[in-house]
Amino acid sequence: MTAEWMNIAGDGIVVHRFGLPGARPKIYLQGALHADEVSATMALAELVGLLEKADAAGEVRGEIVVVPHCNPLGAKQFVLGRHLGRFSLDGRNFNRAFPQVGERVVEELKLLGPDRQTTNEVLYIGAKILGSLTRVGAPIERLQAALMELAWGSDVIVDVHADMEATLHLYTSEKAWPVFQHLAQRFDVPVVILADKSADSPFDEVHGEAWDLINAHLAEGTEQPGFRTAGCTLELRGLSDVNPELAASDGQALRDFLVQLGAVAGTRETAVGAAPLVTKLDAVEVVRSPTIGVVIHLKPLGAKVGAGDVVARLYDPFEPDPHARWQEVVTETGGIVFARWHQRMIQAGMAVVKIAGSVESSLGRRARLLD
Ligand SMILES: [Zn+2]
């Protein structure tokens, strides 16, 4: 059990490690990649406390790495008294464009003899490449490489975020969903959104993508391509949903997931929740604002709505025509209201409400996560 300070381009993160390096399963959990999503930080802080007790009792079986706040660059971004997360001040989303290392690993593997092209060699080469990337480029690029290096070779990655105002929800791939079913149950997550490629290289997807390329190469040789990292993004409600009760129950649910995975011995203490709506990213409707104005939300988080329902009203104080001053914000498809914009003054075109519909409601859309 250690807590180490890791220098990244002059800033530091605190990395909590449990279990022996190389023990399986290896589980990596990080919070607040978007810097202001700190319900994640408090849940992981609780988890660290529970793991310290488990460690003292000799109950840690796997290797567990926990970073309660993984973004020291974004944590310092106070502008005119407001904290700005999500994007670095040079305009880049902290959770996009993580390095794709699969091809580079395969190139280096090809330089070895066929009998040396093993999963262990992949773990070594990948860590070496990512380590070299932590020493070049802009601070955000070094941070991203360092986080990937910490997580490299994990069996399971849980990237913990929060939305603006939201219910619990979870993003993962079709392949990884069976692994995270237990996590969703322990949290009683109402909405699960599946996508194999949700955006431009977010943290939870780049590991699986690298292993897909590497395994395709290994399958041509003698090594059995069995290993693949399963990653998910767990959204712990909204930005302001930070209180001691939620942090404690979230920490317990994460610990129970680690028990389920065999990384910690012991019994599970949280109840299993109801079956979630499991849908696809293509079936998520983003309802946008037609105009600038003050948004009045009409549907609470978690509400079920139908096609054509009014989910919000907008008051445009700059519209002289009294008949046009109020506008209704109407859904195209039905589903569960799982996220809403948190500020009430909004501009035209902004995402006001997000609704998770059934898979059949996707209407042939090709959806991507918002930047
Ligand atoms: Zn986020």
Side-chain angles (χ1 to χ4, degrees):
M1 173 173 72
T2 61
E4 74 198 43
W5 189 84
M6 191 174 155
N7 184 338
I8 298 169
D11 286 294
I13 57 174
V14 176
V15 181
H16 300 266
R17 294 180 184 275
F18 301 89
L20 294 173
R24 293 285 168 184
K26 179 181 177 183
I27 319 292
Y28 177 80
L29 305 102
Q30 69 177 24
L33 178 55
H34 278 138
D36 55 349
E37 300 170 4
V38 290
S39 52
T41 301
M42 298 324 296
L44 292 174
E46 285 287 333
L47 177 66
V48 165
L50 294 172
L51 290 175
E52 283 168 349
K53 282 188 198 144
D55 195 58
E59 292 174 349
V60 176
R61 299 278 180 271
E63 181 185 2
I64 306 167
V65 181
V66 187
V67 186
H69 199 302
C70 70
N71 188 347
L73 310 179
K76 292 192 303 193
Q77 289 186 163
F78 284 84
V79 179
L80 303 177
R82 300 283 176 103
H83 183 240
L84 296 182
R86 196 162 184 87
F87 295 91
S88 67
L89 292 181
D90 63 3
R92 289 191 262 189
N93 186 322
F94 285 113
N95 194 20
R96 299 290 184 272
F98 271 85
Q100 291 279 2
V101 295
E103 273 180 29
R104 283 187 63 180
V105 171
V106 169
E107 274 169 31
E108 292 208 21
L109 273 176
K110 285 179 180 167
L111 301 176
L112 304 173
D115 54 327
R116 284 190 55 208
Q117 300 195 16
T118 62
T119 301
N120 272 345
E121 207 61 56
V122 171
L123 293 175
Y124 170 76
I125 294 170
K128 190 186 66 177
I129 292 170
L130 288 164
S132 70
L133 292 176
T134 65
R135 295 184 288 276
V136 293
I140 182 175
E141 290 160 359
R142 295 179 188 216
L143 172 68
Q144 289 179 323
L147 297 178
M148 267 195 83
E149 189 187 6
L150 281 172
W152 180 247
S154 293
D155 296 274
V156 174
I157 290 175
V158 184
D159 193 15
V160 193
H161 288 241
D163 209 306
M164 305 307 168
E165 288 178 359
T167 64
L168 286 161
H169 55 288
L170 184 144
Y171 296 96
T172 190
S173 64
E174 301 253 11
K175 275 183 199 159
W177 168 229
V179 174
F180 295 110
Q181 233 167 343
H182 302 294
L183 183 68
Q185 284 177 336
R186 295 289 156 196
F187 273 91
D188 199 9
V189 168
V191 173
V192 172
I193 299 162
L194 303 182
D196 284 331
K197 191 149 183 61
S198 68
D200 169 25
S201 302
F203 184 75
D204 66 334
E205 290 180 8
V206 283
H207 297 265
E209 286 170 11
W211 281 102
D212 283 346
L213 270 178
I214 293 161
N215 283 333
H217 172 73
L218 291 178
E220 296 166 11
T222 53
E223 178 79 353
Q224 289 296 315
F227 185 85
R228 185 184 192 277
T229 298
C232 82
T233 294
L234 174 63
E235 302 275 354
L236 285 190
R237 312 174 193 84
L239 294 180
S240 299
D241 292 323
V242 181
N243 66 55
E245 293 79 20
L246 286 175
S249 60
D250 290 347
Q252 188 65 50
L254 287 168
R255 177 238 170 233
D256 283 359
F257 179 56
L258 297 179
V259 171
Q260 183 91 41
L261 294 171
V264 174
T267 51
R268 295 176 293 271
E269 290 173 21
T270 40
V272 169
L277 167 71
V278 181
T279 190
K280 297 195 172 184
L281 189 60
D282 296 339
V284 171
E285 181 185 350
V286 177
V287 190
R288 292 183 181 277
S289 164
T291 175
I292 188 171
V294 180
V295 63
I296 310 290
H297 288 296
L298 299 179
K299 300 289 182 188
L301 293 165
K304 284 201 173 113
V305 295
D309 277 4
V310 181
V311 289
R313 294 180 79 209
L314 271 174
Y315 178 77
D316 181 356
F318 309 107
E319 172 56 61
D321 177 358
H323 302 290
R325 211 170 283 149
W326 281 96
Q327 294 205 32
E328 292 180 334
V329 181
V330 178
T331 60
E332 247 179 71
T333 56
I336 297 174
V337 175
F338 72 94
R340 312 192 307 197
W341 190 250
H342 60 310
Q343 293 177 316
R344 297 301 182 251
M345 185 70 218
I346 55 170
Q347 65 180 0
M350 279 176 74
V352 178
V353 174
K354 288 190 255 182
I355 295 167
S358 61
V359 172
E360 300 76 46
S361 72
S362 61
L363 305 173
R365 280 197 295 254
R366 296 298 304 158
R368 302 277 278 176
L369 288 179
L370 302 175
D371 267 338

